[in-house]
Amino acid sequence: MKTLTITRPDDLHLHVRNGAVLTTVIAHTARQFARAVIMPNLKPPVTTVAQALAYRDEILQAVPVGLDFTPLMTLYLTASTTLAEIQKAAECEYVHAFKLYPAGATTNSDAGVADIKAIYPLLEAMQQHDLPLLIHGEVTDDACDIFDRERVFIDTSLTDISRNFPDLRIVVEHVTTTEAVQFVQDAGDNIAATITPQHLLFNRNALLAGGIRPHHYCLPIIKRESHRLALVKAATGGNPKFFLGTDSAPHLTSLKETACGCAGCYSAHAALELYAEAFERADALDKLEAFASFYGADFYRLPRNSGTVTLQKNVWKVPAAYGEDSVSITPLKANEELGWKSL
Ligand code: NCD
Ligand code: ZN
């Protein structure tokens, strides 16, 4: 049977929530990934080092005994973040970055930043402390078409941030467009991007054609085929600026399958399998290891992991849902077949 063994990977963009959802989802990530960059968009958001440390403890408590998993904590940047908190974060070995959500851009982003220029002094401090800034790169202007929000953000905010802070390490999270790929490629080595499995596997037809599919709804929204092709090329091209970040974002099935469904795809149940499918289709399985296990660690200046994970060519059917009835979460490709299975 065909197998693929790679160095144990890292997920550089992950939502695990807290409470019952956390305990439902964390083992999926911990059995495949050695580390994950944990997003801070809880309710209330994780804005201080003290909160991040408490959240880290909660995550570690939820990891099943026997699995070796390290959460890499991030802080949620707000207009009231203080320079002292940035200094504290820089000095804390468990905090690895700040996350910038434009206010209102996505799930639990109400506390995000409304006026990005107003927080430039904070970005200056991050640059000085060499703390990476992770950006949800979408404008929130109601007048801007949802399919254009990433492209417009590049022109109205990202270009200016990158010019003003040439040494600030920036991860443009979950890139979804040709323009974002181009921006990252053309930028200095301090700017990189994560790419999700859903944006490599699906175009917007998978969301809207032949019926509306809420489990394919995430932000930034899935784009047309030409963008998907640009993302596949970036992910499989061996460029260290592009690395794995699932953006696995669990929501209760009841909150997805409703008149106004939440944004977020749950992919942690089969993260590597989904990426393997995308890389195999591009005839680039040999590029998966560096994308999944090397480039992200290098950018975050972490040692590469030791140990390996093995995927086997083995068709299996993804369950309809994970979790007990009260926390039922519908995964990506629910009730569908996947061609790879991790051992
Ligand atoms: C994420 C979530 O649910 O927290 N949702 C999503 O659609 N990706 C937030 C985010 O990363 O935008
Ligand atoms: Zn996310």
Side-chain angles (χ1 to χ4, degrees):
M1 192 173 286
K2 191 169 159 188
T3 62
L4 175 68
T5 297
I6 62 170
T7 301
R8 216 160 157 230
D10 297 312
D11 184 345
L12 288 311
H13 184 128
L14 178 69
H15 303 265
V16 291
R17 319 301 188 199
N18 49 9
V21 174
L22 170 64
T23 50
T24 301
V25 302
I26 192 67
H28 283 159
T29 292
R31 88 199 144 86
Q32 292 194 327
F33 293 90
R35 300 173 292 209
V37 173
I38 305 295
M39 290 298 128
N41 62 332
L42 299 184
K43 272 185 192 166
V46 179
T47 54
T48 64
V49 171
Q51 284 174 309
L53 293 180
Y55 186 28
R56 177 176 177 273
D57 285 344
E58 190 187 349
I59 294 168
L60 288 173
Q61 284 294 317
V63 174
V65 177
L67 292 180
D68 172 24
F69 175 72
T70 303
L72 307 170
M73 307 312 292
T74 63
L75 297 191
Y76 189 117
L77 189 61
T78 78
S80 0
T81 300
T82 62
L83 293 171
E85 203 62 44
I86 292 174
Q87 166 128 22
K88 249 195 229 167
E91 287 164 1
C92 177
E93 62 180 305
Y94 301 121
V95 174
H96 293 266
F98 272 87
K99 177 72 188 274
L100 166 59
Y101 292 99
T106 187
T107 306
N108 298 346
S109 63
D110 301 349
V113 175
D115 177 2
I116 294 180
K117 285 231 164 79
I119 56 134
Y120 272 15
L122 302 178
L123 304 191
E124 179 73 45
M126 274 171 226
Q127 177 173 255
Q128 264 167 27
H129 289 292
D130 198 19
L131 254 181
L133 175 68
L134 319 180
I135 302 184
H136 182 111
E138 287 194 288
V139 295
T140 54
D141 180 2
D142 276 344
C144 183
D145 189 281
I146 188 168
F147 289 97
D148 296 334
R149 287 180 184 189
E150 183 176 277
R151 178 174 60 74
V152 172
F153 184 84
I154 294 169
D155 295 340
T156 56
S157 289
L158 197 50
T159 302
D160 199 63
I161 295 172
S162 68
R163 281 203 191 119
N164 278 279
F165 306 101
D167 296 322
L168 177 62
R169 273 185 293 155
I170 295 173
V171 182
V172 188
E173 297 292 341
H174 40 50
V175 287
T176 65
T177 56
T178 312
E179 290 85 353
V181 166
Q182 193 67 48
F183 174 84
V184 172
Q185 269 169 358
D186 293 347
D189 288 345
N190 58 313
I191 300 189
T194 50
I195 304 183
T196 79
Q198 64 267 25
H199 292 102
L200 292 174
L201 290 168
F202 305 131
N203 65 37
R204 64 197 199 178
N205 284 1
L207 177 67
L208 296 168
I212 188 157
R213 292 179 190 273
H215 299 296
H216 292 168
Y217 174 58
C218 67
L219 291 171
I221 200 159
I222 291 173
K223 308 295 193 298
R224 64 167 63 238
E225 179 66 3
S226 55
H227 295 293
R228 188 189 72 80
L229 291 172
L231 296 170
V232 170
K233 209 168 157 198
T236 61
N239 183 338
K241 283 168 161 277
F242 298 99
F243 44 80
L244 186 155
T246 60
D247 194 21
S248 177
H251 291 278
L252 298 186
T253 301
S254 56
L255 298 176
K256 295 278 299 171
E257 298 177 2
T258 179
C260 184
C262 294
C265 297
Y266 183 62
S267 61
H269 65 296
L272 275 184
E273 290 88 339
L274 291 160
Y275 282 109
E277 187 163 313
F279 276 64
E280 186 176 40
R281 279 195 213 157
D283 200 16
L285 272 177
D286 60 319
K287 299 288 199 302
L288 182 61
E289 181 178 42
F291 174 80
S293 315
F294 299 158
Y295 299 153
D298 295 351
F299 187 85
Y300 275 84
R301 307 212 179 120
L302 297 166
R304 292 179 180 182
N305 296 312
S306 52
T308 58
V309 288
T310 297
L311 293 176
Q312 205 170 47
K313 193 88 191 174
N314 188 1
V315 176
W316 61 291
K317 193 170 162 193
V318 177
Y322 289 99
E324 291 171 8
D325 286 351
S326 58
V327 283
S328 173
I329 293 159
T330 302
L332 210 55
K333 295 247 187 197
N335 294 316
E336 290 179 51
E337 285 184 344
L338 279 173
W340 291 94
K341 182 99 186 82
S342 65
L343 295 179

